[in-house]
Amino acid sequence: MRTHYCGLVDEALIDQTITLCGWVDGRRDHGGVVFLDLRDHEGIVQVVVDPDTEAAFATAVEVGYEFCLRVQGKVRARVSVNDKMKTGRVEVLASEVEVLNAARDLPFALHENPNEDMRLTYRYLDLRRPEMQRMMRTRIRLVQALRRRLDAAGFQDIETPILTKATPEGARDYLVPSRVHEGEFYALPQSPQLFKQILMMAGFDRYYQIARCFRDEDLRADRQPEFTQLDMEFAFVEEADVQNYVETMIRDVFAEVVDAKLEAPFPRMTWHEAMRRFGSDKPDLRIALELVDIAEAVKHVEFKVFAGPANDPNGRVAALCVPGGAELSRKQIDELAAHAAKHGAKGLAWMKVDNAQGGLEGVSSPVAKFLDDKALAGILEATRAADGDLLLFGAGAWGAVSDFMGALRLKVGKDRGLVENSWKPLWVTDFPMFEHDAEAGRFVALHHPFTAPKVDDEAALKADPHNAVSRGYDMVLNGAEIGGGSIRIHRPDMQNAVFELLGIGPEEAEAKFGFLLKALKLGAPPHGGIAFGIDRIAALMAGTESIRDVIAFPKTTSAQDLMTDAPSPVSAAQLDELHVRVAPSASDD
């Protein structure tokens, strides 16, 4: 149907007759001559239709924006060169113009910026836009580059099941009722975690898969109910073996796909250091601001908001110094306080430094009256605040303060233009093995229950689970966790000890993980791995903050597909086949 792509027509084709197919990106009628901008996925070329070709001209006069056309004509040099177009030195003098399909009543023009619901409802139009084509092709090149390297390195691409068993940890599962096993359900995989571990036990040594995964969780710009990850597993490895290989792979892929040079080696930082300095386990190192602990400076003051956490082993008093921030109005500071509150702050104290050498007379702050000269001197020394700076304070439980001060750091950095235009990768290591869920009254795994602890003794792990450190590691880039992995538990006694600490009793462990426990008793090798978020990496490469821009058919933040109108009701007959009844919601009572 066509001989060439629109965006690849160049001077080498001058005087040749070619056939193009594409969409009308624009039409202009100049003195009886019709100019069409014809677009396909490679770009745009100008087509000229003059009255001498009567049939072609008659058709060209009637075509409109986004009409789908087939054009035949001869390539010639353009009189007026357009250096802004890749094809700007040539044009096609049409001899035939055929309408393959008309476009009527378009909901939006491709050069407009419709709201996201409109874009997702008419996703096929949205994806025609050159910017969306660019971002999707970035994702395609990313996956191709990863596959080439993994295939060449001897990794084996093995598919794991989509219909599998429900798991008790992490996000909620998507459940699929079984027609032939009445009352029983499959679960869609949140990851291929257990299968890839089984593959290591089966002797495949190095595995990878571009895996589709599913999680029924609350959504954000960087979350989707179904997503894609590069899943990898290695046998007979320790942390450095996994990290060194995948770091080189990621560095090479970024260089190939977006011509980005990532530093070598990536910096390494423990989880505790990341939380202390940046208030995040995925710190954005492009922002130079850091949190500073000031507990020692305020332990003695009578201001209980500061002194209480400062004297509590589980408390924290932290400060963030905003260079030049004294210029902020009270309204702007209140907006920062509201942002901190959204992330768990009960309040936000602040101080403007007018004259760092002037003692309490040299600062402006609602809390200055609660401080003395010793406390102020300690705060200014710890934060290295200078004249014209603004200090923001957080006090309370260590984790809560770290979280909301970390969120505040990001907002201040972005609002004040303090985000460096660069790539800043790092490894975050030594995560806590467990978090204590006060509401549930039990421990939960920070990564997943198959991550090995650093202590290689079950009794020692059980004796002090609060301070247990895992052999987990995350790769972070520009404030986004792009990959997470760990060395796995490969001995049944240790796996049972972890299950016990997580409140998973022997019967439950056998019912849900009996196949894994059995495999661990039959010569399971030491092994570890990592999974990379393809959607997140592609979004970073494409320069967009939303992974929806690099997913061909994403869901909304309420997990809907607006184009196909999914999810949607099914017939009573289908439900009967599956032995399922839909109960009325509480709001229907």
Side-chain angles (χ1 to χ4, degrees):
M1 182 173 276
R2 65 182 168 194
T3 60
H4 295 80
Y5 291 107
C6 298
L8 301 182
V9 180
D10 59 20
E11 291 170 292
L13 296 173
I14 287 177
D15 292 331
Q16 292 187 34
T17 297
I18 64 173
T19 303
L20 306 172
C21 293
W23 290 270
V24 176
D25 198 69
R27 185 179 73 84
R28 303 175 300 282
D29 191 338
H30 291 175
V33 176
V34 175
F35 293 86
L36 303 175
D37 292 332
L38 196 66
R39 183 192 70 247
D40 63 16
H41 74 280
E42 291 287 359
I44 297 174
V45 68
Q46 179 170 281
V47 175
V48 182
V49 193
D50 63 36
D52 292 341
T53 53
E54 294 184 8
F57 185 78
T59 302
V61 167
E62 298 298 325
V63 304
Y65 181 61
E66 289 305 303
F67 273 43
C68 186
L69 304 183
R70 175 179 174 274
V71 172
Q72 188 175 87
K74 182 175 288 189
V75 180
R76 68 183 186 184
R78 282 182 64 158
V79 175
S80 55
V81 172
N82 183 353
D83 287 328
K84 294 180 180 180
M85 293 174 61
K86 187 168 61 171
T87 62
R89 294 183 174 275
V90 294
E91 61 188 12
V92 178
L93 180 61
S95 56
E96 296 180 21
V97 177
E98 178 186 358
V99 176
L100 299 175
N101 211 331
R104 310 288 186 189
D105 301 321
L106 289 169
F108 58 85
L110 270 61
H111 61 271
E112 294 174 347
N113 189 26
N115 64 52
E116 189 169 55
D117 281 0
M118 182 71 78
R119 290 176 55 198
L120 295 182
T121 301
Y122 298 95
R123 189 60 164 179
Y124 37 85
L125 282 181
D126 188 42
L127 288 172
R128 285 187 203 170
R129 296 192 297 133
E131 179 64 4
M132 289 301 297
Q133 293 267 322
R134 179 191 69 81
M135 289 194 283
M136 289 303 302
R137 293 180 115 191
T138 298
R139 179 195 179 103
I140 291 165
R141 290 197 303 273
L142 163 64
V143 172
Q144 290 171 336
L146 290 168
R147 283 194 183 279
R148 280 196 300 272
R149 282 162 178 79
L150 291 165
D151 290 340
F155 283 82
Q156 300 169 88
D157 184 359
I158 304 174
E159 293 181 337
T160 54
I162 292 295
L163 296 176
T164 183
K165 190 178 182 73
T167 58
E169 298 293 326
R172 289 180 293 272
D173 290 313
Y174 278 101
L175 299 177
V176 180
S178 170
R179 179 181 59 82
V180 295
H181 298 282
E182 182 175 350
E184 297 184 351
F185 293 80
Y186 300 103
L188 302 182
Q190 295 187 29
S191 85
Q193 181 62 45
L194 294 180
F195 291 103
K196 67 180 182 179
Q197 289 188 239
I198 295 292
L199 286 169
M200 295 305 98
M201 300 171 198
F204 283 96
D205 199 78
R206 284 190 167 195
Y207 142 96
Y208 88 94
Q209 183 183 185
I210 306 294
R212 203 71 169 156
C213 302
F214 307 84
R215 292 180 188 172
D216 186 6
E217 59 185 348
D218 296 331
L219 305 180
R220 301 195 299 264
D222 62 345
R223 296 277 177 89
Q224 282 280 292
E226 53 180 316
F227 57 94
T228 306
Q229 67 185 37
L230 166 61
D231 214 61
M232 303 174 65
E233 198 77 4
F234 308 64
F236 303 105
V237 290
E238 297 182 336
E239 290 91 329
D241 300 309
V242 178
Q243 293 170 2
N244 291 341
Y245 178 81
V246 298
E247 179 180 318
T248 299
M249 176 186 73
I250 291 296
R251 191 182 298 112
D252 290 347
V253 166
F254 267 80
E256 176 183 336
V257 177
V258 290
D259 195 25
K261 185 175 182 180
L262 305 186
E263 62 186 289
F266 291 179
R268 278 160 169 74
M269 185 181 299
T270 67
W271 174 88
H272 191 273
E273 181 185 357
M275 296 299 294
R276 177 178 60 81
R277 293 173 58 189
F278 304 105
S280 173
D281 58 5
K282 46 181 183 295
D284 190 341
L285 300 187
R286 297 174 301 167
I287 301 171
L289 304 178
E290 294 193 21
L291 307 183
V292 178
D293 288 307
I294 59 165
E296 290 300 320
V298 297
K299 279 184 175 180
H300 67 281
V301 302
E302 295 184 5
F303 187 39
K304 292 183 179 179
V305 172
F306 281 3
N311 288 282
D312 183 347
N314 297 313
R316 184 176 192 187
V317 186
L320 179 67
C321 182
V322 183
E327 67 184 15
L328 294 180
S329 67
R330 182 59 185 268
K331 179 182 177 183
Q332 289 172 308
I333 293 175
D334 287 345
E335 289 172 353
L336 293 177
H339 183 77
K342 285 197 304 184
H343 292 271
K346 295 180 180 178
L348 184 69
W350 55 271
M351 177 184 291
K352 291 185 177 183
V353 181
D354 304 314
N355 177 9
Q357 303 301 317
L360 289 170
E361 298 297 320
V363 299
S364 306
S365 171
V367 300
K369 60 186 176 183
F370 300 113
L371 304 177
D372 56 23
D373 288 332
K374 177 183 176 182
L376 178 62
I379 291 170
L380 295 180
E381 180 181 1
T383 59
R384 299 181 181 179
D387 294 353
D389 290 349
L390 171 70
L391 295 176
L392 302 172
F393 302 103
W398 196 91
V401 170
S402 300
D403 288 343
F404 73 74
M405 290 298 286
L408 199 61
R409 171 184 173 270
L410 291 179
K411 179 171 175 57
V412 168
K414 292 174 182 177
D415 289 353
R416 304 283 294 172
L418 301 176
V419 182
E420 182 183 327
N421 184 21
S422 62
W423 296 101
K424 292 289 186 178
L426 78 152
W427 284 105
V428 178
T429 65
D430 295 354
F431 285 81
M433 187 76 180
F434 307 107
E435 288 180 307
H436 191 264
D437 187 331
E439 188 174 324
R442 68 181 184 92
F443 287 111
V444 295
L446 194 69
H447 269 85
H448 55 61
F450 318 108
T451 295
K454 282 214 162 183
V455 60
D456 194 28
D457 178 81
E458 296 85 48
L461 178 66
K462 290 181 180 180
D464 190 16
H466 288 89
N467 294 310
V469 174
S470 81
R471 298 179 71 180
Y473 37 82
D474 284 357
M475 184 184 289
V476 176
L477 181 61
N478 291 4
E481 177 209 325
I482 63 171
S486 67
I487 299 301
R488 323 302 187 187
I489 297 169
H490 73 281
R491 297 199 330 266
D493 292 346
M494 180 62 79
Q495 187 64 76
N496 279 319
V498 170
F499 283 158
E500 182 180 335
L501 287 168
L502 293 173
I504 302 173
E507 290 185 6
E508 183 183 359
E510 181 61 33
K512 292 178 175 175
F513 303 109
F515 66 97
L516 174 68
L517 295 171
K518 188 180 297 182
L520 290 175
K521 297 175 183 176
L522 300 175
H527 59 286
I530 192 167
F532 288 97
I534 295 293
D535 309 309
R536 289 186 187 177
I537 297 175
L540 284 169
M541 287 180 163
T544 179
E545 293 187 0
S546 174
I547 62 172
R548 291 190 290 276
D549 287 336
V550 292
I551 298 173
F553 302 104
K555 306 290 190 294
T556 67
T557 52
S558 59
Q560 289 181 294
D561 182 339
L562 297 181
M563 187 183 74
T564 64
D565 193 28
S568 58
V570 298
S571 70
Q574 286 176 289
L575 293 176
D576 287 342
E577 274 194 323
L578 297 170
H579 320 290
V580 170
R581 295 286 182 272
V582 178
S585 65
S587 60
D588 294 334
D589 294 341

